[in-house]
Amino acid sequence: MTDPPTLRYESTSPPELLDFDVVLVGAGFTGLYQLRRLRERGFSVVLLEAGDDLGGVWNANRYPGARVDSHGPIYQYTDPELSGDWDYSQMFPNAAEMRDYFHYVDARLDLRKDCRFNTRVTACRFNSESDSWVVETQPGEELTTRFLILATGTTAEPYIPKFVGADIYEGILMHTAQWNEDIDLTDMNVAVIGTGASGIQVIQESAPIAKELTVFQRTPNLSLPMHQRDLSADERAEIKSSLAGVHAMVPKTFGAIDFDFDPRNAVDVTAKEREELYQQLWNAGGLRFWMGNFSDTMFDPEANAYAYEFWKRETRIKISDPTKIEILAPTKAPHPFGAKRPSLHQNYYEALSQDNVEIVSVADTPIEEFTHHGIRVADGVIREFDVIILATGFDTNTGAINAIDIRNSDGGSLREKWDNGVDAYLGAFTNGFPNLAFLYGPQSPAAFANGATAAELQGDLLVDMLVHLRAEGLTHFESTAKADEAWTDSIEELNEQALFKLAKSWYNASNVPGKRVQLLQYPGGMPTYRQHWEAERDAGYSLGLTLGRSIKNSYSY
């Protein structure tokens, strides 16, 4: 394939050529999609990745059981060119197979030739004289670029609580996102702190092989059955034949997936009709019981209570140890069902029911300190462990962005600007930081949308904007403070109507002490989100954005 012609933005005072038109950060679904589309449109672009290969979080996550919670048919790019020769072996692919998928995509598109791996971006500063960014990397390089796009994702920066005594613990201590693949948990005394998605996956894998497993649970996870299965040749052929229809559907649904909420309200139907839909969704598996449920489930407490009662009944069947039923599936819901993202499990409750597994509720007996050989909780009991696994999640949405020292031309820090909360127009721009965009990040539909298709649906809108800037000879974009604030207000208005605010979760940043509690996801669904973008586009990017051209800059082709 012949490389497309390269567009360069050139400063005429002083006469210097920028290294790139666009610098991308992050080699997951979003960054790689941007790389492909910008490259096709003739932009000079480089992608910087802190890890050693393609895949983003799927390259980073190496812990036992790491697996996708979206089913394979939608967890891939929708381009037919990339699906013809690809099949997942299971309905819900594991991390290793995801790495294979990214290698397959690269073999088709030769993306890595424009990627720099083991290159962590440490700082970025904007130069208003040349309408450009200077990007500093850990290898010590400095790159100049007209536009900076952060595709760092929502779950890239691990959250590690500051446990007293963690520095004196003499055993193996690791976060799931920093897994040591040389560690074998067989016949070890293992602790897992946290029961989110990664905690559930590690617990399922370690319970059968560990000598003793102790799970420190803060809040019960209202986990849903995955119904994982290997795919036969016939099933793979059937999936492939239906992909065109599936991929045509996803832009139209709330979560950019191949199913949507039932338009009925749970409070308006009969008990028999509720039971029928609940059973159908439960048997189908995956996230359907969450994002395919009655339309009032996340808004009406009565409707939500119906869903929780069904979840509780079905889940308790799986718990064979009667002493653990109340801690895992309590009589009273710990929070509204679905207000925290439900995880998926295969045999989680069966694993927790094993005799070699103990569950410690840190809500009742908090962790007081680490000791040389284990953990002391508030009741004074000390438990000794060979390995302590932190399944404590991530500083989501803003963590990976704030890990970079991003400063505008006045020296203002993005991290400091967001200390009191995020205001980010369209979940992609923020006032005071020109020519900077972030995708699948704070105040976008990220957590409520399938990552692979969101990368395309949001990504195409940004590419269109950059093409427009080029066509108009513009070198500058920036959101207005008014647009930023209005976007936050619109999210809060939707949040007031929904039940998410009644749970502490990474959706609203309450999982990290010190962060301002605010909903950091756009909860209006992908179609509505795209309508906002399209309105901005159709207005010539003048509703919430200001475009400009520095008098000291011009385009050179």
Side-chain angles (χ1 to χ4, degrees):
M1 180 183 296
T2 303
D3 289 340
T6 300
L7 166 73
R8 304 305 295 267
Y9 293 91
E10 185 178 337
S11 172
T12 58
S13 179
E16 63 182 15
L17 194 66
L18 298 177
D19 294 320
F20 298 98
D21 300 330
V22 182
V23 166
L24 296 164
V25 183
F29 272 111
T30 301
L32 294 175
Y33 187 77
Q34 286 290 294
L35 173 60
R36 178 190 184 185
R37 293 308 185 200
L38 289 170
R39 199 169 69 177
E40 288 174 346
R41 285 159 176 77
F43 290 85
S44 65
V45 57
V46 67
L47 187 152
L48 308 180
E49 165 59 42
D52 63 359
D53 205 347
L54 305 171
V57 296
W58 295 114
N59 181 51
N61 284 329
R62 304 292 180 119
Y63 63 85
R67 186 175 298 280
V68 175
D69 66 3
S70 296
H71 49 293
I74 63 167
Y75 208 69
Q76 57 182 297
Y77 293 123
T78 61
D79 187 344
E81 179 185 347
L82 298 176
S83 58
D85 294 328
W86 178 259
D87 292 299
Y88 287 118
S89 66
Q90 295 183 314
M91 181 57 73
F92 294 87
N94 63 23
E97 192 159 32
M98 288 309 308
R99 292 191 286 274
D100 290 341
Y101 175 72
F102 283 106
H103 293 157
Y104 162 80
V105 170
D106 180 48
R108 286 300 189 94
L109 302 177
D110 193 16
L111 296 173
R112 68 176 62 245
K113 73 176 182 180
D114 293 310
C115 297
R116 299 186 187 181
F117 301 110
N118 299 306
T119 302
R120 182 176 297 278
V121 175
T122 56
C124 305
R125 59 185 185 275
F126 188 70
N127 183 339
S128 60
E129 291 293 310
S130 59
D131 272 350
S132 64
W133 284 92
V134 177
V135 179
E136 300 176 14
T137 70
Q138 196 164 28
E141 293 180 294
E142 282 194 357
L143 305 175
T144 55
T145 182
R146 176 69 64 211
F147 303 117
L148 175 63
I149 300 176
L150 303 180
T152 49
T154 60
T155 54
E157 191 67 18
Y159 168 58
I160 300 177
K162 299 184 184 303
F163 291 111
V164 175
D167 56 333
I168 69 168
Y169 174 64
E170 297 175 7
I172 299 167
L173 175 63
M174 55 186 172
H175 192 282
T176 53
Q178 300 165 337
W179 193 263
N180 183 342
E181 294 184 90
D182 294 331
I183 301 301
D184 182 357
L185 301 179
T186 302
D187 294 329
M188 286 193 174
N189 289 329
V190 179
V192 176
I193 301 176
T195 55
S198 59
I200 284 178
Q201 291 170 341
V202 168
I203 288 164
Q204 290 177 148
E205 298 293 321
S206 56
I209 62 174
K211 180 180 180 182
E212 299 287 343
L213 171 65
T214 302
V215 176
F216 292 87
Q217 172 187 281
R218 181 178 60 182
T219 307
N221 192 315
L222 308 188
S223 180
L224 298 173
M226 176 177 280
H227 294 326
Q228 170 70 304
R229 69 179 190 276
D230 293 333
L231 296 173
S232 67
D234 288 344
E235 286 176 311
R236 295 184 196 185
E238 183 179 351
I239 287 172
K240 196 176 295 294
S241 68
S242 67
L243 279 181
V246 167
H247 292 162
M249 178 183 182
V250 292
K252 304 172 186 177
T253 65
F254 179 94
I257 49 181
D258 56 344
F259 56 89
D260 215 338
F261 292 105
D262 190 292
R264 299 171 295 170
N265 289 329
V267 298
D268 294 334
V269 302
T270 66
K272 181 176 182 293
E273 289 171 320
R274 280 196 300 272
E275 177 72 17
E276 286 175 348
L277 180 64
Y278 289 160
Q279 199 67 60
Q280 173 190 333
L281 298 173
W282 193 265
N283 292 342
L287 294 174
R288 285 176 175 80
F289 191 79
W290 181 41
M291 298 191 75
N293 218 313
F294 291 106
S295 61
D296 58 347
T297 302
M298 293 311 306
F299 296 91
D300 187 322
E302 181 182 355
N304 195 275
Y306 288 139
Y308 179 75
E309 287 301 312
F310 182 91
W311 176 89
K312 180 177 68 177
R313 185 191 78 196
E314 294 298 314
T315 300
R316 286 186 167 194
I317 295 170
K318 301 291 186 180
I319 306 170
S320 59
D321 184 342
T323 66
K324 296 174 180 176
I325 288 177
E326 192 62 29
I327 194 172
L328 295 175
T331 301
K332 181 180 178 182
H335 53 74
F337 171 78
K340 298 175 73 168
R341 183 182 175 93
S343 300
L344 301 185
H345 67 265
Q346 299 177 68
N347 62 333
Y348 176 60
Y349 296 102
E350 293 87 344
L352 289 175
S353 297
Q354 293 180 193
D355 293 338
N356 67 326
V357 177
E358 179 187 10
I359 308 170
V360 177
S361 172
V362 296
D364 301 323
T365 52
I367 294 173
E368 283 198 339
E369 63 177 352
F370 282 34
T371 67
H372 287 283
H373 302 292
I375 293 175
R376 183 201 308 273
V377 295
D379 61 6
V381 175
I382 299 176
R383 294 168 176 83
E384 295 190 350
F385 303 108
D386 303 307
V387 181
I388 298 176
I389 300 167
L390 302 179
T392 48
F394 297 85
D395 182 354
T396 54
N397 298 290
T398 58
I401 297 174
N402 285 339
I404 305 170
D405 184 15
I406 301 173
R407 295 184 180 270
N408 58 26
S409 59
D410 297 325
S413 163
L414 179 59
R415 184 187 303 130
E416 292 173 1
K417 178 187 178 182
W418 283 353
D419 271 349
N420 296 318
V422 174
D423 293 310
Y425 180 51
L426 296 176
F429 315 103
T430 194
N431 177 256
F433 293 83
N435 292 8
L436 169 68
F438 33 91
L439 296 174
Y440 206 69
Q443 296 192 321
S444 78
F448 299 139
N450 177 53
T453 45
E456 299 177 337
L457 295 173
Q458 188 188 23
D460 282 339
L461 294 164
L462 181 59
V463 170
D464 286 347
M465 190 186 85
L466 296 182
V467 170
H468 171 82
L469 289 169
R470 180 176 65 186
E472 297 297 319
L474 302 170
T475 61
H476 185 103
F477 69 79
E478 183 178 356
S479 63
T480 66
K482 182 178 179 181
D484 288 353
E485 293 165 6
W487 188 253
T488 298
D489 290 344
S490 71
I491 291 174
E492 287 307 310
E493 288 174 9
L494 291 169
N495 191 35
E496 282 303 308
Q497 301 170 35
L499 301 176
F500 299 108
K501 60 185 176 294
L502 300 180
K504 292 183 177 181
S505 78
W506 58 268
Y507 283 171
N508 54 30
S510 56
N511 66 314
V512 177
K515 289 185 75 169
R516 178 192 166 190
V517 176
Q518 64 172 136
L519 186 62
L520 286 175
Q521 315 297 322
Y522 175 75
M526 184 59 76
T528 304
Y529 174 76
R530 293 175 68 214
Q531 288 172 11
H532 287 289
W533 256 98
E534 289 161 359
E536 181 67 54
R537 179 197 63 199
D538 295 344
Y541 302 100
S542 63
L543 297 179
L545 294 170
T546 57
L547 307 184
R549 177 179 181 275
S550 169
I551 60 172
K552 297 181 179 180
N553 289 289
S554 66
Y555 282 86
S556 175
Y557 292 86

